[in-house]
Amino acid sequence: MKEIALLVNSDDMVSTVNDAIKHAGAESEIETVMTHTYEGSLNIAREFEARGGRLIIARGGHARVIRESDIGIPVSMIPFTGNNIVNMLRRAADEWGEFAVIGNPTMIQMTRELERPIGAKIHYYEINQWADFDSIMPEIRSNGIKAVVGGYDAARSARTYGLHDYCLKTSEYEVLTAIMEAKSLLSALDRDRHWDRMFEAALNTIGEGVVVTDVDGNVTHANHRAVKILGHDGILNHLPSAEMCRMLEKVVETREPIYDELFEYNEYKFSTSFLPIKGNEDNLVLVMQEVEYVHKIERKIRQKLANKGLVAKNSFDNIYAESPAVRQAVRVAKQYAVVNSSVLISGETGTGKEMFAQSIHNYSNRCDEAFVAVNCATIPANLLESELFGYVEGAFTGAKRGGKIGLFELAHKGTIFLDEIGETSLDMQARLLRVLEEHEIMRVGDDKVIPIDIRVIAASNRDLKKMVEEGKFRSDFYYRLDVLSLQLPPLRECRENIAALIEHFSRRYADENGKHRLEYAPESLEILTNYGWPGNVRELKNVVERLVVTNSGGVVQPSDALGALHLRQDEIPAPPEPAGGEMGLISAAEMNLIREVLKECGGNKTAAAKKLGISRPTLHRRLKLMGEPADEA
């Protein structure tokens, strides 16, 4: 189907129009349709639009009638050129002196401007509908006027009433002008349509619902998200909520925007901002955000922040669990990881409390979210509140412009690790208790609460229960933290781990420092194993790093081990003996493990000691305590 319909209202126009279309190279774009009345032209235009036509070209009154109708496609009018009108007026003036001009308002206005130079007496008759011809022509005759100047329709009607006619025929130039204007208009419409489609696609792509209304609340446009939120019935005519209409009326009245009002409709919870359009007082824009969508964006932002360092680097695979005590701690920690209850990790300094906290996080269903570690002992008390909860702009002297997000907000949907929790003040404990109870925080200097979803893991190297008894720690806060308890054993009670840890850290620090990996003389390994390690794994790491950096022979001798431990030759550590006697060193689980390894090694105690990560003399002592033969197999 062709895009343009050119209406021809006289047989005299046909050849001129066809020539113009051919010269414009528009045969594939324009179809010509003959019409003789305004009503006929209007019917043709409606039919053409219904078939998908995009533009109509018509002359004079035909174009005006279509433009003033309910037709929704544009109409390009074939223009009257000045030379054509002047020639007809002069001929009529020379032959009659007095005559009538019949036409649309544009033609009559042009003629009035030429009346004085022409020097004739001209009578003007405006045509608004086809029936006007039958009323005007008799009037012209009764006034004694013999000639009429006008278009094809006027000339044809004048001849019917026996009047002389001077027809303003359409020239090829005039048709070409109309065709060029029509093609230019269609190109502009195509550009507009392209941008409209792009704009509509963009609106349908974004996560917010967008609605355009008039000042009475009638919906004129809505994107897909808005239809989803409000439903088809909610956007057909009027905003569905009386409260939304009230907000809209307020914006119409004040021309001031209203932001983030909460609504619940059609089973959706969403916030809505009501925005006046600058330079357009007839329409307003409503932007709706689903609560879950906002939470999703928040999580993404927090995750991006987490990617900058708020991540748990360790997992249970990184924990050396050669000793039964550590294996038991790992087993319990894994049980804790799959639930959301608070965890309180207790243990001496350097026992790996944060490593266990990170492992619990990475083993949980929150593993893809942020892990935020806070050492409560390193942040000054007067800053701890603003660090944990954030603050708004102007909350205190020195507050950053725009405020600051707190660590609890950063941990939303993830885990917050409160290390050294025993160092917090009683006032801070009260605030933290409220956060754990209410699952919401309030930034410093703000009056609005922010809901959060976090898992809390706390840790302390102090006896919090004793602190409660002494009034130094709130009992309600302690019992809120101590839902799940995890006690980490000191390294001196996990000697089976020492050899494996020494090997691990030796390899790590050798690689980091470009050194050869160390070997340890059996006596050196026994010294390190028997040492009490008051600083636990942290101290062991430091000692091994010291050995890697300072040793140049490749083998750690007993003197090297003693030097790294800052011990004299006469301070060689002996195997520790607990207060309850050496039997206390051997648990049923340890005995079972030793027997199992000996069986795997065919009774070879040297191989078994190596596999157990202990020295051969230590194995002999263990066997003696177990009542087993200690002689070499």
Side-chain angles (χ1 to χ4, degrees):
M1 176 182 171
K2 298 180 180 179
E3 294 184 311
I4 302 171
L6 197 159
L7 306 190
V8 179
N9 59 313
S10 172
D11 294 337
D12 295 345
M13 284 182 64
V14 174
S15 60
T16 302
V17 166
N18 289 338
D19 289 343
I21 291 173
K22 183 177 180 180
H23 291 157
E27 296 96 328
S28 62
E29 303 168 73
I30 300 175
E31 65 178 62
T32 58
V33 186
M34 180 64 71
T35 176
H36 294 292
T37 65
Y38 293 167
E39 290 79 4
S41 295
L42 190 56
N43 289 333
I44 291 169
R46 285 178 175 145
E47 180 187 349
F48 183 68
E49 181 184 24
R51 289 190 290 121
R54 297 185 59 197
L55 186 142
I56 293 171
I57 299 175
R59 192 174 188 268
H62 297 266
R64 181 179 57 80
V65 168
I66 298 171
R67 281 179 174 177
E68 294 174 357
S69 71
D70 56 355
I71 298 298
I73 57 177
V75 179
S76 180
M77 181 181 288
I78 298 174
F80 294 105
T81 56
N83 288 339
N84 195 4
I85 294 176
V86 169
N87 290 335
M88 289 298 104
L89 293 177
R90 281 180 174 168
R91 283 183 55 192
D94 291 343
E95 296 178 13
W96 299 96
E98 182 180 3
F99 54 90
V101 170
I102 302 176
N104 61 44
T106 302
M107 174 188 161
I108 289 176
Q109 180 60 34
M110 292 179 66
T111 305
R112 287 186 184 278
E113 294 173 1
L114 295 169
E115 182 175 356
R116 181 174 293 179
I118 293 296
K121 185 177 181 180
I122 303 176
H123 302 266
Y124 298 97
Y125 297 89
E126 185 176 315
I127 293 293
N128 293 305
Q129 55 186 345
W130 193 259
D132 290 342
F133 286 117
D134 292 331
S135 61
I136 288 173
M137 294 304 175
E139 181 181 344
I140 290 174
R141 287 183 59 181
S142 65
N143 290 333
I145 301 172
K146 305 294 185 183
V148 171
V149 176
Y152 290 110
D153 299 321
R156 189 163 51 247
S157 180
R159 289 195 295 271
T160 302
Y161 283 87
L163 300 172
H164 292 278
D165 67 276
Y166 295 86
C167 183
L168 296 173
K169 295 183 179 180
T170 297
S171 67
E172 183 178 334
Y173 171 77
E174 291 169 337
V175 178
L176 278 171
T177 300
I179 291 174
M180 293 301 105
E181 178 187 338
K183 295 178 72 170
S184 177
L185 181 56
L186 284 182
S187 295
L189 290 174
D190 285 338
R191 288 193 298 271
D192 290 344
R193 181 182 293 181
H194 168 75
W195 285 110
D196 286 345
R197 285 197 298 263
M198 183 176 291
F199 184 65
E200 182 180 0
L203 285 180
N204 288 328
T205 301
I206 63 176
E208 292 87 355
V210 179
V211 172
V212 180
T213 74
D214 60 21
V215 293
D216 296 320
N218 298 309
V219 175
T220 59
H221 298 85
N223 69 348
H224 291 168
R225 182 69 62 171
V227 174
K228 174 188 173 185
I229 295 172
L230 299 180
H232 288 283
D233 294 339
I235 64 163
L236 287 179
N237 298 308
H238 206 273
L239 291 176
S241 163
E243 181 63 15
M244 294 178 81
C245 292
R246 190 184 69 78
M247 295 285 181
L248 195 75
E249 290 171 0
K250 186 175 180 181
V251 174
V252 170
E253 180 181 348
T254 64
R255 301 303 296 176
E256 292 294 329
I258 296 177
Y259 295 102
D260 302 326
E261 291 293 328
L262 290 176
F263 296 93
E264 186 170 354
Y265 181 79
N266 201 24
E267 298 183 356
Y268 287 98
K269 293 180 180 179
F270 55 95
S271 69
T272 303
S273 295
F274 300 79
L275 310 173
I277 302 176
K278 292 183 179 180
N280 182 346
E281 296 188 0
D282 296 327
N283 297 98
L284 296 93
V285 173
L286 280 66
V287 180
M288 297 174 287
Q289 292 182 319
E290 294 177 61
V291 172
E292 183 54 37
Y293 172 75
V294 174
H295 288 169
K296 182 179 179 181
I297 296 299
E298 288 178 346
R299 288 197 294 271
K300 284 187 176 180
I301 293 172
R302 289 187 175 102
Q303 189 60 49
K304 287 183 179 179
L305 291 170
N307 290 339
K308 296 180 180 179
L310 303 180
V311 292
K313 300 177 182 178
N314 290 296
S315 68
F316 288 119
D317 293 337
N318 303 125
I319 296 175
Y320 285 85
E322 301 294 333
S323 80
V326 177
R327 284 201 295 272
Q328 173 67 4
V330 169
R331 185 183 67 79
V332 172
K334 286 182 176 180
Q335 291 178 327
Y336 291 171
V338 297
V339 297
N340 283 314
S341 305
S342 300
V343 179
L344 178 59
I345 304 176
S346 302
E348 297 178 6
T349 298
T351 51
K353 294 185 289 296
E354 182 167 354
M355 176 175 277
F356 267 83
Q358 291 183 7
S359 300
I360 290 172
H361 172 79
N362 280 331
Y363 200 76
S364 74
N365 58 7
R366 297 174 182 263
C367 59
D368 293 329
E369 305 293 342
F371 177 86
V372 180
V374 185
N375 191 316
C376 300
T378 61
I379 303 175
N382 61 330
L383 296 179
L384 185 58
E385 182 180 17
S386 61
E387 288 295 314
L388 290 177
F389 306 124
Y391 55 81
V392 296
E393 184 174 343
F396 50 83
T397 303
K400 289 182 179 180
R401 184 176 181 181
K404 180 182 178 181
I405 190 171
L407 297 174
F408 270 96
E409 284 186 75
L410 290 179
H412 182 62
K413 291 294 182 181
T415 302
I416 189 164
F417 174 55
L418 302 175
D419 198 8
E420 305 295 352
I421 192 66
E423 306 303 320
T424 55
S425 67
L426 294 175
D427 288 341
M428 179 54 66
Q429 291 169 28
R431 287 212 61 183
L432 291 171
L433 174 62
R434 179 174 176 79
V435 172
L436 268 62
E437 295 286 358
E438 304 297 333
H439 302 288
E440 60 187 26
I441 60 102
M442 182 183 294
R443 292 184 181 181
V444 176
D446 204 355
D447 59 357
K448 294 181 295 186
V449 296
I450 301 172
I452 55 171
D453 173 14
I454 56 172
R455 204 266 178 92
V456 175
I457 302 177
S460 179
N461 61 358
R462 303 177 66 180
D463 187 342
L464 295 185
K465 195 169 185 179
K466 184 178 180 181
M467 291 179 66
V468 170
E469 295 171 355
E470 296 172 348
K472 298 178 181 178
F473 201 87
R474 291 180 63 105
S475 60
D476 51 2
F477 185 44
Y478 170 73
Y479 291 116
R480 185 63 182 80
L481 288 175
D482 194 34
V483 178
L484 302 176
S485 298
L486 183 64
Q487 180 71 43
L488 298 186
L491 187 57
R492 62 182 174 274
E493 296 179 6
C494 308
R495 297 188 179 276
E496 298 87 348
N497 278 1
I498 293 176
L501 289 169
I502 290 173
E503 171 63 22
H504 167 69
F505 291 125
S506 295
R507 182 170 60 251
R508 170 179 162 183
Y509 292 125
D511 292 343
E512 287 181 2
N513 292 282
K515 298 277 189 176
H516 292 292
R517 295 181 183 178
L518 296 179
E519 294 182 9
Y520 290 81
E523 297 81 357
S524 302
L525 201 57
E526 187 167 0
I527 289 172
L528 295 171
T529 302
N530 291 337
Y531 179 66
W533 298 111
N536 294 293
V537 178
R538 185 178 292 119
E539 183 184 9
L540 186 146
K541 286 171 58 178
N542 294 340
V543 167
V544 172
E545 185 173 9
R546 191 178 302 137
L547 287 169
V548 170
V549 172
T550 59
N551 188 280
S552 57
V555 178
V556 176
Q557 300 298 337
S559 59
D560 300 323
L562 291 171
L565 293 170
H566 303 303
L567 297 176
R568 299 190 306 272
Q569 192 69 31
D570 59 352
E571 294 178 325
I572 295 176
E577 296 186 15
E582 271 198 86
M583 185 57 70
L585 288 174
I586 305 297
S587 65
E590 287 180 272
M591 286 190 265
N592 290 335
L593 178 64
I594 290 173
R595 291 188 180 107
E596 183 181 335
V597 172
L598 275 170
K599 184 178 180 181
E600 291 176 0
C601 296
N604 187 311
K605 295 182 177 59
T606 301
K610 185 175 182 181
K611 190 167 185 177
L612 288 167
I614 60 177
S615 66
R616 191 177 64 185
T618 299
L619 176 59
H620 280 213
R621 284 193 295 272
R622 296 287 194 275
L623 291 171
K624 184 178 179 181
L625 290 170
M626 292 165 56
E628 300 284 344
D631 56 308
E632 183 65 66

